[in-house]
Structure formats: C-alpha cells, structure tokens
Amino acid sequence: MTFDADKLIRDAKPEVDPAMRSRVLDAARADGAAVLAAHRPGSLMILLRAAALVALALGAGVVAAVLRAPEPVGQPPRLAAESEQVEDLRRRIEMVEALPTSTSVVEELAAAQIRLDQFEIQRLEQALDTLVAERMEVREQREREQWRERHIAHVREHFAKEADATVERLREENGLTTAQEREVRALLSEHGKQAEALIGNCYKSGRHGNDVHSQFAVLADETEKKLNQLLDEQQQRGFEAEAVLGADPADWAPSADFEDASDVDAWTHWMTVSE
Amino acid sequence: MAADADDFESLFERYHDAVFRQIVLLTRDHTVAEDVAQETWWRIARSLKTFEGRSGFYSWACRIASNEVKRWWRRNSRPRIVGTEPTDDPRAGDQQRDLVEEALRRVPDKYRQALLLEIWEGFSIAEIGQALNLPEGTVKSRLHRGREKFKEQWLKLGGQD
C-alpha cells in the first residue's frame, strides 16, 4: 500500500467553530486600552499622600523583586538599609497626616515635611533603580549565554544533517564525483561556521533589525555562487539551495522541541532579535 | 486602525482558520487555542501598519501566533515538556491523529506552513505563494520537502509505511 501523507494529514484537520471565529474577531476589534480609575480631587494633603504612597509602593515592589532574585552571596547591605529607610518614610508620612489640621501653621509644617520626604523618596528610588538595572543586566547576560550555547549546538547538529542529506542526494541523483563532493562539503562546512558566527553576534549585541536578514541573505547568496561554480548545470538544478543554505534568519532558529522554559525563552529571543 | 479596517477584515476572513489550526497544532488544546488566537489577532490588528510584507502575511501571522503560544506557556508557568501535556482536544484518544499531529509539529515551520495551506486550507500553489511571499517554484519545493519531512517524522514516531 502506498504511503499517503496527504490523507493522513487531511484526516487530522482540526475543526473551527464559527462561533469561536466571531469571538476572536470581536476580541481583535476591542479597544485594549486599560481604563484607570478616576482619582477624586481632594485637599492638597490627600493628593500628596496618594502620590507619596504610590511612589513608596513602587519602590517597595522593586525592592521585593530584587530581593527575590537569586544571588550567589547574601543581599547587599545597601538594599536592606534603603528598604528600611523607605519604610521609615512611610511611617513618617502617616504620622504627619494624622496631625490635627485646625491651624494654618500646622498645615504648612505638614506640607513642608511631605515635600522633604518626597525629595528623599526620589533619591532612594534612583538608587534602587540603578541597583536593579545592574542586577538585571548581569542576569540577562547569563541567560543570553545559555541561550547562545543551546542555539549553536542545535544549529550545528541540524545543519550537519542537512548538508549530509544534500550531498547524498547530489551524489545519488546527479552524479556528484568524489572530488566535487570533497569541495562541496568544505564549502558547506564553511557556510555553517559563518552562520554560527552571525548567530553568535546577535547574542552579543541584541537587536540588529534588518541587518540580520541582509547578512544571512548575502551569506547564502555567496555560498550558492561558489557551489554553482563547482557543479554542472544538471547538478545545479538538483541542488536545493534554499533548503540547505538558509537565507532567512528563521531557518537558523533554535530548537522548537521545547524541553524546558529556557528553550522557550531562547526561541522567543531569536524571533525577536531576528525580526 | 480605522484606515486599515478593510484590509484587516479581509485578511482575517482569509487566514483565520489557517492560523487557528496552526495554534491548535502547537497547543493541542482548543480552549487554550482560542485564547491564543484572540491575542494573536489583537496584536495583528495593532501591528498591521508596521507589517512590511517581506515574509508574506501568513508567515508573519504564524510567527506572531507562535510567540503568543510561548507567552501563554510562560504566563501559565507551563514550560512545554515534549510529550507530557494533557489535551483538551475533543477528538483526543485517537492515536493515529496524535501521531500525525506530533509528526507535523516536528516538520520545520517553513515546510509545514506551505503543506497545511495546501492540504488543510485547499490553497492553490499561487495562493500559497502569495500567502508566504514566495515564487511558485519555491512553493513546490517546500511542499515536496514538507511531505518528505512529514514521512520521515511519521516513521520515526512508529507510524506505518
């Protein structure tokens, strides 16, 4: 019985519910903008309190996130001290707001105190921002290195198989000679190494935009020209350049057989920097 | 978006089912696939003006869909471990279908997209070329390689020749 791929695939075709299609279209049309709850204007002290508490909550949230980050040694003393200072400021603001507001002198003192506290909050937030940014950069560098290693290993394995399959096809179907085979293999090997170098560069410097596309296209074009000089006309027709040389960065993507979350991240990262 | 509403509507009409089936293939769960499809088309609607047409709309849409699948997994703390995921497919339990779907998942994207546009969506060679922004010769090559790769994976997974 002849293997019928089309029938197998056709029989596995998923159904699409028309009602689901309408729901997807409605969701795509919906305005996705978030609506912020309106803030009711009140006295100066209520507004300043709200702004101060939001700033403190943001700072405390950032501190909590940084403190949760895995570190080879204990939490730096600077962060712990600054977290305590943020808490102190919050308690001070609450105390000031609890003061009676029956006299204008007390109100002026309270407003001045809040302004001073907010300057201090700004200074602490900037220090926290710097620390968090430094910590995140270190973590991201480690992640990128792991992704790069997995990516290169995957590409190396699969390109080798594609190159072998291509040479075998040329030999069996288009009469590739032993001498030609040696030269074709050498060219393909060099092509693979240059593609790996392009991939490695993306992990050093993040997004390249259109540069990545043109770099892979130029590499594929150059290798194809060199290969065509080695092959006769029939062999050139039998050589599927597009299948093995990979002019599109997507042809050099990391493995999509995700075995863990890091594989997912590596794939997504490649799709982003190569888009 | 108002200026591109007609483009978006006609693209949705033409490609929604094809993109949805790709998502079902990746997620193996119709409920999850609907959520991902909503996010995907929401992003397409908002990014349509920046789409340059270099890769063909369908390739671009499938790429967005793949990203959304990954994002869904990350949000739901479910790193996808091959072969261990439960499924919400109403036709679950059909071993042959499971095997076909797994074999298709292992076919490289560029071949799978062309193959499924022909077999599942009934696109002609010219229509596939338009969807993927490829010349017809390349489409035919991808269809041929796609069938080869599918058979290779099918046999590796224990399917009958």
Side-chain angles (χ1 to χ4, degrees):
Chain A
M1 194 165 69
T2 318
F3 177 75
D4 190 345
D6 285 28
K7 183 176 186 311
L8 282 170
I9 295 170
R10 205 176 300 120
D11 288 347
K13 177 178 172 180
E15 286 158 21
V16 179
D17 176 8
M20 182 276 301
R21 198 184 291 125
S22 301
R23 288 195 293 271
V24 171
L25 183 57
D26 289 343
R29 284 173 180 152
D31 180 0
V35 176
L36 298 172
H39 179 72
R40 294 174 64 183
S43 69
L44 168 67
M45 288 180 66
I46 292 173
L47 285 173
L48 289 174
R49 178 187 179 183
L53 287 175
V54 165
L56 281 166
L58 283 172
V62 165
V63 167
V66 169
L67 291 177
R68 271 199 299 273
E71 284 297 322
V73 293
Q75 178 188 342
R78 258 178 79 198
L79 269 182
E82 276 155 355
S83 303
E84 279 180 26
Q85 286 181 41
V86 167
E87 283 301 308
D88 281 343
L89 286 169
R90 186 150 62 95
R91 281 192 287 272
R92 247 180 16 211
I93 287 175
E94 284 172 358
M95 273 170 50
V96 164
E97 286 170 354
L99 288 173
T101 58
S102 55
T103 67
S104 63
V105 170
V106 171
E107 277 180 0
E108 281 171 26
L109 278 173
Q113 182 62 62
I114 287 179
R115 278 198 295 277
L116 275 172
D117 289 345
Q118 284 180 334
F119 289 139
E120 186 63 10
I121 287 171
Q122 271 177 8
R123 189 191 67 78
L124 287 170
E125 277 181 348
Q126 277 165 10
L128 280 169
D129 283 347
T130 305
L131 274 173
V132 167
E134 284 168 9
R135 185 94 39 103
M136 282 174 64
E137 176 59 27
V138 166
R139 184 198 290 177
E140 281 170 12
Q141 271 174 9
R142 275 194 291 225
E143 276 180 339
R144 277 202 296 271
E145 183 52 32
Q146 188 187 33
W147 298 340
R148 190 192 69 83
E149 283 173 9
R150 289 189 186 199
H151 191 169
I152 298 280
H154 171 77
V155 157
R156 198 170 280 171
E157 182 192 342
H158 283 81
F159 182 73
K161 284 181 187 165
E162 284 284 347
D164 282 344
T166 298
V167 168
E168 199 178 310
R169 207 164 31 245
L170 280 172
R171 187 174 59 237
E172 288 177 4
E173 295 171 14
N174 303 107
L176 195 71
T177 66
T178 310
Q180 280 177 315
E181 181 174 335
R182 242 192 333 266
E183 292 187 75
V184 166
R185 283 193 184 278
L187 266 175
L188 289 176
S189 170
E190 182 55 29
H191 181 83
K193 285 179 185 156
Q194 290 190 35
E196 285 177 26
L198 289 180
I199 292 168
N201 286 343
C202 285
Y203 285 94
K204 285 179 196 162
S205 46
R207 289 188 75 94
H208 282 251
N210 290 331
D211 285 345
V212 176
H213 279 270
S214 58
Q215 284 166 5
F216 275 103
V218 164
L219 174 63
D221 199 46
E222 281 172 2
T223 303
E224 189 178 355
K225 280 182 190 153
K226 288 177 190 167
L227 281 166
N228 284 341
Q229 285 170 358
L230 293 173
L231 306 174
D232 62 39
E233 219 173 289
Q234 187 199 343
Q235 289 166 339
Q236 285 174 30
R237 275 200 297 275
F239 174 64
E240 291 176 12
E242 196 241 342
V244 69
L245 298 182
D248 191 314
D251 297 331
W252 299 91
S255 171
D257 285 339
F258 306 117
E259 306 239 342
D260 59 29
S262 196
D263 277 346
V264 176
D265 289 341
W267 195 95
T268 307
H269 175 263
W270 179 251
M271 286 298 131
T272 306
V273 300
S274 65
E275 184 52 54
Chain B
M1 181 173 154
D4 296 323
D6 288 343
D7 289 344
F8 176 77
E9 299 275 347
S10 66
L11 287 167
F12 182 90
E13 193 59 35
R14 187 167 176 71
Y15 292 110
H16 168 269
D17 288 4
V19 172
F20 179 74
R21 290 190 176 107
Q22 289 279 345
I23 295 171
V24 167
L25 196 62
L26 292 175
T27 58
R28 295 199 290 175
D29 185 318
H30 274 62
T31 309
V32 170
E34 182 177 337
D35 287 346
V36 171
Q38 288 187 5
E39 291 287 332
T40 299
W41 284 99
W42 188 88
R43 287 194 184 282
I44 288 172
R46 272 140 193 81
S47 311
L48 201 54
K49 280 183 183 158
T50 63
F51 173 57
E52 295 172 8
R54 188 174 46 217
S55 56
F57 175 82
Y58 180 66
S59 284
W60 180 65
C62 283
R63 193 170 295 191
I64 293 176
S66 289
N67 276 346
E68 288 305 318
V69 170
K70 311 307 176 289
R71 283 157 59 88
W72 188 92
W73 284 332
R74 292 182 69 180
R75 279 200 305 272
N76 290 275
S77 301
R78 284 172 62 186
R80 174 154 172 72
I81 311 299
V82 174
T84 63
E85 291 298 300
T87 176
D88 187 31
D89 190 328
R91 301 161 302 180
D94 182 336
Q95 274 192 327
Q96 178 163 288
R97 180 186 304 283
D98 288 345
L99 211 58
V100 169
E101 287 177 355
E102 185 58 37
L104 282 172
R105 271 190 287 276
R106 293 174 184 214
V107 172
D109 284 354
K110 64 181 181 184
Y111 302 127
R112 185 178 64 234
Q113 285 171 11
L115 195 61
L116 297 184
L117 280 177
E118 185 180 64
I119 298 178
W120 279 355
E121 312 308 326
F123 278 35
S124 65
I125 302 287
E127 286 170 335
I128 297 171
Q130 191 186 34
L132 302 176
N133 195 25
L134 293 172
E136 290 191 13
T138 307
V139 170
K140 288 178 188 167
S141 166
R142 289 202 181 176
L143 289 171
H144 175 68
R145 291 300 302 274
R147 286 181 171 90
E148 272 185 351
K149 292 281 184 188
F150 170 77
K151 183 176 177 182
E152 191 183 296
Q153 294 302 328
W154 167 261
L155 292 172
K156 260 189 203 167
L157 290 167
Q160 299 296 316
D161 193 350

